[in-house]
Every structure is written in structure tokens, then in C-alpha cells.
Amino acid sequence: MGKIIIAIDGFSSTGKSTIAKQLSKALNYIYVDTGAMYRAVALYALNYDLVDDVKLKTDDLVNALSKVNIKFVPNNQTGKSDMFLNGKNVEQEIRTMRVSRQVSKIATIKEVREKLVAIQQKMGTEKGIVMDGRDIGTVVFPDAELKIFMTASPEARANRRYKELLDRGDKVTFDEVLKNVQERDYIDSNRKESPLKKADGAIEIDNSDMGLKEQLERIHNYALRLIKSH
């Protein structure tokens, strides 16, 4: 059987990464969390005072991109890969609300997207990869054999994200998380560079009321049928 590329796009907090991780494990494919890559750039911008809730120093960040070194490093304890930024493990730091508030703004910058898309496309040259993000099926891999577009109501997504943050010990309110989800939806869908949209030929899955097991089973079956035909 041949290998395929699986592109999973969709709105924030739809569980794309969770599904992609489990799917890659079931298929013995490589998993790439592109959201972590943009979060790492956002963290860099925050650390160097290039972005906050009122400003975005686009030119300064673009000029600094050559200094931003990101890579996934396997974690033997968890069996997953952690995001490293300039040699430091930032896997936990990039998942905070502090970064979540800025990442969609960072992702609007053309030069940031070009840098990360080039890295992502290189990762997929030998196929056998599951990649999730906002523009995987539309820009990174428009010829991917399987494209999935995941969606859910803002309230359902905010509730999931809220529980995740509480479990991590973060002090947040549901209203704060819901506002963040809605703001990211607007920015992601209306940005000039690679806006979030359903790719041609993508299978849409609304998981507002769908469990993880059902989602995984459905997507896994789609993938197996395509793999068998290649």
C-alpha cells in the first residue's frame, strides 16, 4: 500500500490536534502540529516585545525571522514530540492564553507564513504524514489525498478549551475563553494571507455533539480506503 498526505484544517479548539495525533498513531504516520509552529513564533514575538494586545511590530518581527529556530524534538517520556524554540523546550509555554491571544495576529504576517509553509512542505515530501492547521488543504498541501475540515459551535469549542486550561491550572473565565475563540475565528477567516476556509474536496465534520471515538473512527475509515487505493 502507498502512503498519502492527510490534511486536517478547521477552527480553533475543534480538536484537530487530538484527532491528528491519534490518527497518525493508528496509521503509523508522522504527525505535524503546525499550530505549535505559529505559537512558537508568537512566543518569540512576546518575549522580545514585538506584540501585545495593542501593538504588532510587523517589520521588526519579519527582520528577526532568521533568528527564529523552531523544531520538533521527540519526547521519550510522552512518546510525542515537543516544540523547541531556539534550543529551549517551550511545549507548555506555547499553550497558554498569553500566546493564544496573539497567535492569530502573528499568523496574518505573510513572511511568517512563507517561512513556516516552506518547512511544512519539506516535511511532507515523502508522504505518510498527518498535518493539522488552518491552511494545510488550501495552501500547504492542496493536492493532499485526504482533506478534513473540522468545525463546531463557538460555545462548544470554548467549553473544551476552558476545561483544558482549568485542568492545567490556568486561571481563566469561560467568557474570556469564548471571546478569544470568537476573535480568533474572525481573524483566521478574514486575514489576507491564506484565510481559513474549507478546501476543495474536503470532508466537513461538525463535532459540536460528536465524541472523539466517533470522529476518529470516521476519519480513520476514510484514510484506510484511500491508502488501499494507492
Side-chain angles (χ1 to χ4, degrees):
M1 291 187 292
K3 292 184 177 180
I4 66 172
I5 291 175
I6 301 172
I8 302 180
D9 291 311
F11 292 95
S12 66
S13 301
T14 47
K16 298 184 302 295
S17 297
T18 301
I19 285 291
K21 286 175 189 174
Q22 294 194 6
L23 183 63
S24 64
K25 188 175 181 180
L27 297 171
N28 196 27
Y29 272 25
I30 294 168
Y31 164 64
V32 179
D33 176 4
T34 64
M37 299 169 75
Y38 286 97
R39 284 175 173 272
V41 178
L43 178 60
Y44 179 92
L46 281 163
N47 288 345
Y48 287 90
D49 195 32
L50 302 178
V51 68
D52 59 30
D53 290 339
V54 295
K55 71 169 181 289
L56 172 56
K57 297 180 179 178
T58 302
D59 291 343
D60 289 345
L61 178 56
V62 169
N63 291 333
L65 281 177
S66 61
K67 302 174 185 175
V68 180
N69 180 14
I70 58 174
K71 63 179 180 178
F72 291 99
V73 178
N75 184 323
N76 294 328
Q77 290 183 318
T78 65
K80 301 174 184 176
S81 292
D82 292 340
M83 172 55 67
F84 274 63
L85 171 62
N86 293 341
K88 177 188 175 185
N89 188 330
V90 294
E91 184 62 30
Q92 295 301 314
E93 205 172 347
I94 62 172
R95 307 295 175 182
T96 62
M97 276 297 293
R98 174 174 176 252
V99 172
S100 293
R101 280 193 289 266
Q102 310 302 334
V103 66
S104 288
K105 285 190 286 188
I106 296 298
T108 65
I109 301 172
K110 179 183 178 182
E111 291 82 359
V112 171
R113 301 202 71 83
E114 288 175 343
K115 176 186 175 84
L116 299 190
V117 166
I119 296 171
Q120 293 155 13
Q121 289 175 330
K122 188 175 181 181
M123 290 176 174
T125 52
E126 296 183 6
K127 300 196 176 186
I129 195 167
V130 182
M131 193 174 287
D132 74 279
R134 301 288 193 281
D135 63 350
I136 312 305
T138 54
V139 175
V140 184
F141 296 118
D143 297 322
E145 289 84 356
L146 177 58
K147 302 176 191 177
I148 302 293
F149 187 81
M150 297 181 67
T151 185
S153 71
E155 291 75 17
R157 290 183 284 129
N159 191 49
R160 293 169 189 161
R161 181 71 176 142
Y162 178 58
K163 289 179 179 177
E164 286 176 5
L165 291 168
L166 287 184
D167 287 344
R168 283 168 39 124
D170 292 5
K171 295 181 179 180
V172 294
T173 66
F174 175 78
D175 288 343
E176 181 184 5
V177 177
L178 177 59
K179 182 183 178 184
N180 176 250
V181 165
Q182 292 170 329
E183 287 176 346
R184 291 182 66 187
D185 285 355
Y186 181 81
I187 296 173
D188 290 343
S189 300
N190 291 277
R191 68 189 180 212
K192 183 180 178 181
E193 298 297 329
S194 308
L196 170 64
K197 61 182 180 179
K198 182 181 174 182
D200 292 339
I203 299 167
E204 183 170 328
I205 294 180
D206 186 329
N207 63 16
S208 299
D209 301 303
M210 191 185 299
L212 180 60
K213 184 179 179 181
E214 183 182 352
Q215 296 173 61
L216 180 61
E217 196 172 273
R218 185 179 298 187
I219 298 172
H220 188 227
N221 286 335
Y222 289 138
L224 287 178
R225 285 200 291 268
L226 284 166
I227 291 169
K228 288 175 182 176
S229 66
H230 280 72

